[in-house]
Amino acid sequence: FPVTISPRPASLRVLACCAVNIPKVQQASKLRSLTVRMSSATFSMSRSLGSRQAAPMQKQIGDLTDSDFLVQLVESIPVIHGLALNAGINYISTVKTLNLKALYHVMEVNAYSPIMLMNMILKAKKFSNPASVVFTSSIAGFQRSSMGNSIYSTSKAALHGFMRNAALELASSGIRVNSVNPGMVETELLGKNGITQEQYDLDKKTYPLGRYGKPRDVSNAIAFLLSDASAWITGTATGKPGEMPSRRKTKEYRDWET
């Protein structure tokens, strides 16, 4: 997981957690592109923060669901200005066919692990004042429902609820907590859930801008929420303009969705 550590106090230190493609991380092959997404956020911050510059990334590889690794990670980092929590997986299942093992695994990766990592950093007093935390959630967590997506939506809804409460509790400590909530993003995760290219093309037509998001679209939003440009923003679930304000569902799309 990329850890940006600067040798100068005036620069920005950001801990960015995302998935990487290694055998020890379960389901990591589905998440390879998320590493690129967080790298983009790091480089975007270096351009947008003016006098604050991001130092070259240092990486630690481990399993976010491994409590021993989390302890080691928290001990190894300096006081940080920002925390970007981006790791996530999906599991397609109907309400009737879901099982407890799949539900727990998705919840563990998407919700429990990032929440507990933030908790551990807070207890270790590794957040600066001010500091910013950004969760990568999803419009599926509080705004949009779709067939077969109940487990993923549940995990992202948990993040949304936690983010709002954490923002309220930590405001007096100078720690802002927000989330970005994209819809479909062009990553390698697409195509791994049994949906055909024709179905994707049909779904894209429901977006006002006629396309899915790109990793840079999301990472730029993360960079903004980590930066001083958003110093008066906390407890906000930021959506993506490419998806809002409405979804234009054609008859063909409605037929496919049902």
Side-chain angles (χ1 to χ4, degrees), residues 23 32 57 72 85 102 135 181 202 240 242:
R32 188 183 310 160
M57 288 193 300
Q72 179 185 0
L85 296 159
F135 291 97
N181 297 266
L202 193 61
K240 301 305 298 176

Side-chain angles (χ1 to χ4, degrees), residues 125-192:
K125 300 181 179 180
K126 292 291 183 77
F127 280 118
S128 66
N129 184 355
S132 175
V133 178
V134 182
F135 291 97
T136 298
S137 188
S138 170
I139 57 171
F142 69 101
Q143 195 169 46
R144 184 194 175 201
S145 301
S146 57
M147 300 290 288
N149 210 32
S150 58
I151 295 180
Y152 179 79
S153 293
T154 299
S155 69
K156 294 302 184 178
L159 275 186
H160 176 69
F162 179 81
M163 177 274 293
R164 295 291 298 271
N165 284 272
L168 184 62
E169 290 185 22
L170 300 177
S172 61
S173 298
I175 301 173
R176 297 183 296 109
V177 188
N178 295 284
S179 68
V180 293
N181 297 266
M184 298 291 278
V185 180
E186 297 276 8
T187 71
E188 292 181 17
L189 190 61
L190 299 186
K192 296 182 181 293

Side-chain angles (χ1 to χ4, degrees), residues 1 14-19 34 37-38 64 70 73 80 82-88 109-119 121 127 132-137 156 159 162 177-180 218 222 226:
F1 305 98
V14 175
L15 173 61
C17 296
C18 52
L34 297 184
R37 186 180 301 176
M38 291 317 306
L64 278 178
L70 292 184
L73 176 64
I80 58 175
L83 174 64
L85 296 159
N86 191 59
V109 175
N110 291 7
Y112 303 157
S113 295
I115 288 173
M116 291 311 300
L117 177 56
M118 178 182 172
N119 167 266
I121 295 173
F127 280 118
S132 175
V133 178
V134 182
F135 291 97
T136 298
S137 188
K156 294 302 184 178
L159 275 186
F162 179 81
V177 188
N178 295 284
S179 68
V180 293
V218 181
I222 294 173
L226 288 173

Side-chain angles (χ1 to χ4, degrees), residues 14 30-31 37 53 76 81 107 139 169 191 201 209 222 229 234 236 249:
V14 175
K30 296 184 179 181
L31 303 169
R37 186 180 301 176
Q53 295 182 351
S76 68
H81 301 93
M107 290 294 295
I139 57 171
E169 290 185 22
D201 291 340
L209 293 180
I222 294 173
T234 192
T236 298
K249 293 191 176 183

Side-chain angles (χ1 to χ4, degrees), residues 92 139-140 143-149 183-184 190 193 195-208 210-212 243-244 246-258:
I92 303 299
I139 57 171
Q143 195 169 46
R144 184 194 175 201
S145 301
S146 57
M147 300 290 288
N149 210 32
M184 298 291 278
L190 299 186
N193 52 13
I195 299 177
T196 67
Q197 185 60 49
E198 181 181 3
Q199 290 169 330
Y200 278 128
D201 291 340
L202 193 61
D203 185 52
K204 289 177 184 178
K205 294 179 182 179
T206 70
Y207 285 72
R211 69 172 179 88
Y212 288 159
E243 298 144 16
M244 298 300 139
S246 65
R247 303 261 299 180
R248 304 173 313 210
K249 293 191 176 183
T250 62
K251 181 181 182 301
E252 292 81 5
Y253 180 87
R254 290 194 298 269
D255 291 343
W256 165 71
E257 190 175 41
T258 55

Side-chain angles (χ1 to χ4, degrees), residues 228-239:
D228 291 340
S230 60
W232 209 37
I233 298 176
T234 192
T236 298
T238 303

